[in-house]
Amino acid sequence: MAPTLTFPKGGVHPPESKKLTENLAVEVMPLPAELEIILGQHIGAPCAATVAKRAEVSEGDLIGEVSKGLGVPLHAPASGKVKAVGNSGHPVRVSAPSVTITVDQEAPDKQYQPRDWQNDTSQELLKRVHDAGIIGIGGAGFPTHVKLKPPSDNPVDTLLLNGAECEPYITADHRAMLEMAPEIVEGAKILLKILGITNCVIGIENNKPDAIKMMTDAANGTAGDGFSITVQPLEVKYPQGSEKQLIQAITGRKVPAMALPSAVGVVVHNVSTTKAVYDAVVLEKPLVEKVVTISGKGINRPANLLVKVGTKLIDIVEFCGGVKPDLSRVVMGGPMMGFAVSDLNIPISKTTSSVLFLTDEEIDANPLSACIRCGWCLDACPMGLEPKEIGVFVEGNRAEDTEQFGVFECFECGSCAYVCPAKRPLVQFVRLAKMKAKRS
Amino acid sequence: MKELKMYQQPLHRDTGMLDVGSGPHLRIGDGLSTVHQRWLIALLPALLGSLYLFGFASLRVFGLTLLFALFFDLLAEKFAPSRDLSSNWSTVVLAIIFSFMLPVNAPWWLIGVGCFFMIIVGKKLFGGVGAYPAHPAALSIAILQLSWPARMDHTDALKGMDWQITLIEPLRLLKSIGSSAQEQYQLLDLFLGRQAAGSAEGLVFLILIGGLFLLFIREIQWQLPIGFLVGLMGSSFLFNLYDPNTFGSPLFYLLSGGTLFMGLFLITDHTTSPVNRTPMFIYGFIAGILLILIRGYSKHVDGIVFAVLLANLCSPLLDMMKPKVEGVENE
Ligand code: SF4
Ligand code: SF4
């Protein structure tokens, strides 16, 4: 096995807690009675609904479109009838415009036939990726086709596939790599063709030796196609899966501040996104479902579920046997960067990789005290910032002066707050500082 | 759909609602009290050693210090509550550190006055843990040494002890008769703590064990004690070359009095030391040089507290040396 790599600065080792779900095969969740699809799935302007109330839709039909900007279209995850075009709960924005579909349980499953993509030009492939509504599944949900069109003055030479999955609990990518390795590698080839390059490295943290093996085998199977696809084991360290950290770990290149990875000739995609690209191009299937890890000590039956986009948490809870009485917090996303939700009527979006049901014992809601100047947050920060100072400035009502400490470089990984013995909510301070500093 | 309702609002035991909060939802450790408890563990070897050596005398000093310190802390919390939930724990740590530097025969009123200055003035008036600019224990000892020098005399305190060694503080003898004083002491004796010093600061060996523990669990950063060591050894070496009659050898300085205690427990205090790594080293370095200067040229015998206080003053300045943040124009 190749030596494991990691990023140089900071990082923390939270308990992994992946045992709960890492050996559970992906289950297909039965269709719920109702789906609520949020129109703004990604950064930028939300889609405008293209269907009206009471319209009949079948799986894969277009239900939302964006006329300007970076957006991608939105598709009906299942056949049924549009019940309403209104608003849904949202983990961050509280409420967001959405389309509600009453699912027709009788409708036959849509069949997808694989097709040959080798003869498509890269423009056609790119269009298919865009039309299938693919966005970065792992993280912020940046539209994938935009990342595949790097600015022409920065030639890209390497495609990185992110299989690090450094957040505790989440095993969705892990299961995807185990169960869909050939599809992911095929997807990688499509991405390489679109970018017009041949070099691809798949980064996987070495707490997933089985995934490393599966992916290595699948990648070796493609030898001779003119592509060079290799697997690179990575040290287990949070936030290994963050774009800049991953690039530095694997290629040794440092992405400058405020720049995109393409500035150093790299494009990063998540392995699950790559699988979605495969679906879009080979099966002509839009992004309407995804693997979500349901975990935490507060749910009766942890699982890796294949769910339709728009499935509400409440339906998932019901399918997973209900919650335990000591449930305390429900988090969409990982325990480090995810968002706590206040009720269960919130739908899954394309970017939700996990839903965690955490008990009192797992979360930490201790009150904060003053900073004791221990400096541990400085050691933990992978960007080399001074979270301590940002916190002190925000508390002192001088949030707009925090730019000198690099607040805008902070990607809110939470390493600093994780180690802080004074339990200071440093990420919250940073968010506040960003808002205020932008305004001034 | 009846069951569905059951899940609709998973009730939290106390609040009846789902808990929300900003990420990260996982945190390490149990907060500040853990930090203070670790320091207590590190202080424990020397504390036990002192109890073994001096018996009731040092028990009295530790007990009285704890009582007074906690009394003043609770009093202050009553009149000016702070949001520091671990205030009592930090007071316990400060009290132990303070008592290590007291002579074993310290009268009760001296301890009381010392605790008042340490807790009320040094800690609380300046805003408590995280805010005080000077180490409260060092501050208080400095006040006592300046106000009642005779009472802070360790030689006097140990008069009755039956040790087969020179029962004068090594540094006091060095000050009065020059570097020939070194012949009166075995370095091994000094290392094992067989020397006249405060109730526990001179137990070099046990202090070292506690300090290594703190370093090992990464509670304190190595830059501080190493910087201190370099500063101390380097400057004492040079001074010794320059004026061998006044200055002792580097090892003699290192092992006598509270030198190691200062390097491992006083300058490493989180609140008063710098937060960045390079400034930490420089801070330790400065503290080491200051200690030798004070020992050589001032009338104070040991002078660790003065060196600490002076170094404390440099800390905010040193912290202005920041690592360069990518993408931010630092002028
Ligand atoms: S949240 Fe921001 S400041 Fe804190 S460790 Fe991560 S990048 Fe650094
Ligand atoms: S980790 Fe917390 S207590 Fe320590 S310096 Fe950072 S903010 Fe302050």
Side-chain angles (χ1 to χ4, degrees):
Chain A
M1 204 184 270
T4 57
L5 298 177
T6 189
F7 56 97
K9 230 188 247 170
V12 291
H13 296 94
E16 289 172 30
S17 309
K18 297 197 190 243
K19 290 275 173 299
L20 286 167
T21 51
E22 69 181 355
N23 293 319
L24 303 175
V26 174
E27 275 176 74
V28 180
M29 183 174 153
L31 282 174
E34 212 173 80
L35 294 169
E36 273 179 27
I37 303 103
I38 293 182
L39 286 163
Q41 296 268 352
H42 50 75
I43 318 185
C47 292
T50 54
V51 287
K53 201 171 167 180
R54 282 189 285 278
E56 297 277 347
V57 291
S58 58
E59 184 177 341
D61 285 359
L62 206 64
I63 57 171
E65 207 159 18
V66 168
S67 44
K68 57 178 193 308
L70 310 170
V72 291
L74 197 61
H75 305 83
S79 309
K81 198 169 183 181
V82 176
K83 184 180 163 199
V85 178
N87 282 301
S88 287
H90 189 279
V92 185
R93 279 168 270 168
V94 182
S95 157
S98 69
V99 172
T100 308
I101 295 178
T102 311
V103 176
D104 176 8
Q105 303 284 357
E106 319 286 79
D109 283 355
K110 186 162 174 184
Q111 298 300 321
Y112 296 99
Q113 294 304 327
R115 55 182 279 280
D116 191 22
W117 60 272
Q118 308 284 357
N119 301 323
D120 291 4
T121 66
S122 68
Q123 282 308 319
E124 284 163 7
L125 292 172
L126 194 61
K127 183 158 185 318
R128 284 184 192 279
V129 170
H130 169 266
D131 291 348
I134 297 180
I135 59 175
I137 284 180
F142 203 72
T144 298
H145 72 279
V146 179
K147 276 194 181 176
L148 289 171
K149 268 189 307 200
S152 50
D153 47 338
N154 290 315
V156 166
D157 58 12
T158 311
L159 167 70
L160 292 188
L161 290 197
N162 183 355
E165 203 163 46
C166 56
E167 279 257 19
Y169 290 95
I170 309 182
T171 55
D173 287 352
H174 184 186
R175 291 312 303 182
M177 287 189 283
L178 281 184
E179 297 174 28
M180 304 158 201
E183 287 92 335
I184 294 174
V185 171
E186 194 72 14
K189 287 201 266 181
I190 298 171
L191 293 177
L192 288 173
K193 176 151 186 198
I194 296 176
L195 289 165
I197 56 175
T198 56
N199 190 20
C200 168
V201 184
I202 307 170
I204 306 174
E205 277 192 353
N206 68 353
N207 56 356
K208 303 182 257 295
D210 44 354
I212 294 178
K213 188 168 174 310
M214 287 300 281
M215 292 303 291
T216 312
D217 289 350
N220 289 344
T222 65
D225 294 2
F227 297 118
S228 141
I229 301 179
T230 51
V231 173
Q232 174 60 55
L234 301 167
E235 198 178 291
V236 182
K237 185 158 95 173
Y238 180 86
Q240 193 75 263
S242 143
E243 216 163 54
K244 288 188 176 180
Q245 271 60 36
L246 190 78
I247 293 172
Q248 199 170 3
I250 295 182
T251 66
R253 300 177 200 170
K254 218 167 158 194
V255 184
M258 315 282 169
L260 292 174
S262 57
V264 293
V266 180
V267 168
V268 183
H269 286 287
N270 178 279
V271 286
S272 294
T273 313
T274 313
K275 162 73 171 55
V277 167
Y278 168 87
D279 287 346
V281 172
V282 179
L283 302 179
E284 295 183 277
K285 178 179 176 183
L287 178 54
V288 291
E289 58 188 13
K290 66 173 317 220
V291 181
V292 175
T293 299
I294 311 298
S295 189
K297 293 202 176 116
I299 187 100
N300 279 325
R301 194 169 67 83
N304 293 302
L305 294 183
L306 183 66
V307 300
K308 296 285 183 190
V309 171
T311 308
K312 282 188 276 186
L313 299 190
I314 187 101
D315 297 320
I316 294 178
V317 169
E318 197 188 10
F319 181 68
C320 288
V323 295
K324 297 207 176 124
D326 53 353
L327 170 74
S328 169
R329 213 178 259 192
V330 177
V331 174
M332 286 179 90
M336 301 294 280
M337 292 180 76
F339 295 93
V341 296
S342 57
D343 85 281
L344 295 181
N345 275 311
I346 289 178
I348 298 279
S349 74
K350 289 179 184 177
T351 51
T352 312
S353 47
S354 69
V355 182
L356 304 178
F357 296 82
L358 303 174
T359 59
D360 286 338
E361 164 197 344
E362 291 167 283
I363 60 165
D364 187 333
N366 283 318
L368 80 162
S369 34
C371 166
I372 63 163
R373 297 169 45 87
C374 61
W376 297 343
C377 51
L378 281 73
D379 291 339
C381 179
M383 303 303 290
L385 310 180
E386 281 188 283
K388 149 198 174 288
E389 213 73 349
I390 298 172
V392 171
F393 268 63
V394 168
E395 275 185 321
N397 229 344
R398 285 180 60 194
E400 55 286 344
D401 295 341
T402 52
E403 218 179 317
Q404 51 176 315
F405 309 115
V407 260
F408 291 112
E409 275 303 284
C410 166
F411 61 103
E412 300 173 15
C413 69
S415 303
C416 49
Y418 173 75
V419 295
C420 177
K423 305 284 173 195
R424 293 172 66 72
L426 296 165
V427 178
Q428 228 167 332
F429 286 143
V430 165
R431 290 200 187 118
L432 215 67
K434 279 183 182 169
M435 271 154 55
K436 290 235 175 113
K438 223 171 248 164
R439 259 184 230 145
S440 65
Chain B
M1 283 289 127
K2 206 168 94 246
E3 294 92 321
L4 214 116
K5 249 198 148 157
M6 234 168 65
Y7 308 121
Q8 203 108 37
Q9 241 150 25
L11 299 182
H12 185 259
R13 276 199 302 283
D14 311 322
T15 56
M17 276 183 261
L18 274 179
D19 192 43
V20 284
S22 174
H25 308 282
L26 301 179
R27 308 279 194 90
I28 200 170
D30 289 330
L32 285 186
S33 38
T34 331
V35 170
H36 300 310
Q37 283 154 13
R38 287 197 208 136
W39 281 73
L40 277 186
I41 294 174
L43 290 164
L44 207 59
L47 188 114
L48 292 178
S50 168
L51 287 178
Y52 173 78
L53 276 179
F54 307 117
F56 181 74
S58 71
L59 183 68
R60 190 188 68 94
V61 171
F62 294 145
L64 278 178
T65 320
L66 273 179
L67 273 182
F68 276 119
L70 281 172
F71 167 74
F72 284 123
D73 188 69
L74 293 175
L75 197 72
E77 282 293 312
K78 180 128 181 77
F79 288 107
S82 70
R83 64 174 187 183
D84 179 7
L85 302 171
S86 64
S87 178
N88 297 343
W89 280 110
S90 80
T91 294
V92 171
V93 174
L94 282 178
I96 301 285
I97 289 182
F98 172 73
S99 59
F100 273 22
M101 293 182 283
L102 284 175
V104 284
N105 70 343
W108 66 268
W109 56 266
L110 189 73
I111 299 180
V113 171
C115 286
F116 171 80
F117 279 114
M118 173 170 72
I119 301 301
I120 301 289
V121 180
K123 182 180 165 191
K124 292 294 185 185
L125 277 189
F126 283 105
V129 178
Y132 51 72
H135 196 295
L139 179 78
S140 164
I141 290 284
I143 291 174
L144 297 188
Q145 279 185 2
L146 291 174
S147 313
W148 291 279
R151 297 285 186 178
M152 297 296 287
D153 183 342
H154 304 308
T155 310
D156 185 46
L158 297 177
K159 265 199 312 270
M161 290 290 291
D162 181 24
W163 281 352
Q164 304 303 314
I165 55 162
T166 318
L167 265 183
I168 302 179
E169 290 160 87
L171 292 164
R172 190 177 293 272
L173 203 60
L174 181 74
K175 184 137 281 176
S176 51
I177 67 170
S179 59
S180 58
Q182 292 176 69
E183 290 147 27
Q184 307 283 323
Y185 302 92
Q186 300 285 325
L187 285 182
L188 185 68
D189 270 344
L190 295 179
F191 179 66
L192 293 178
R194 286 158 61 82
Q195 57 171 310
S199 71
E201 60 178 349
L203 305 173
V204 177
F205 174 58
L206 298 172
I207 294 287
L208 185 65
I209 293 181
L212 288 181
F213 166 74
L214 284 185
L215 280 172
F216 180 71
I217 59 170
R218 306 259 188 110
E219 171 71 34
I220 57 178
Q221 266 71 42
W222 62 265
Q223 278 88 348
L224 288 166
I226 296 297
F228 175 72
L229 204 65
V230 172
L232 178 97
M233 301 298 259
S235 61
S236 57
F237 177 76
L238 291 179
F239 276 117
N240 195 1
L241 281 185
Y242 159 74
D243 183 1
N245 289 326
T246 316
F247 289 91
S249 71
L251 263 185
F252 184 73
Y253 278 124
L254 181 67
L255 294 178
S256 50
T259 315
L260 223 61
F261 181 63
M262 166 179 169
L264 290 168
F265 288 94
L266 289 182
I267 62 163
T268 52
D269 178 64
H270 290 312
T271 303
T272 50
S273 63
V275 287
N276 285 306
R277 293 304 186 101
T278 320
M280 273 187 192
F281 187 88
I282 302 175
Y283 173 82
F285 187 75
I286 291 179
I289 298 178
L290 281 173
L291 182 61
I292 296 300
L293 282 175
I294 289 172
R295 284 181 176 178
Y297 291 120
S298 77
K299 67 180 177 48
H300 303 292
V301 172
D302 194 336
I304 52 173
V305 289
F306 299 101
V308 169
L309 292 177
L310 287 175
N312 285 169
L313 296 182
C314 310
S315 176
L317 203 63
L318 288 172
D319 251 342
M320 296 179 94
M321 278 177 58
K322 294 183 186 305
K324 176 144 174 38
V325 178
E326 302 281 331
V328 175
E329 268 115 271
N330 284 4
E331 55 297 337

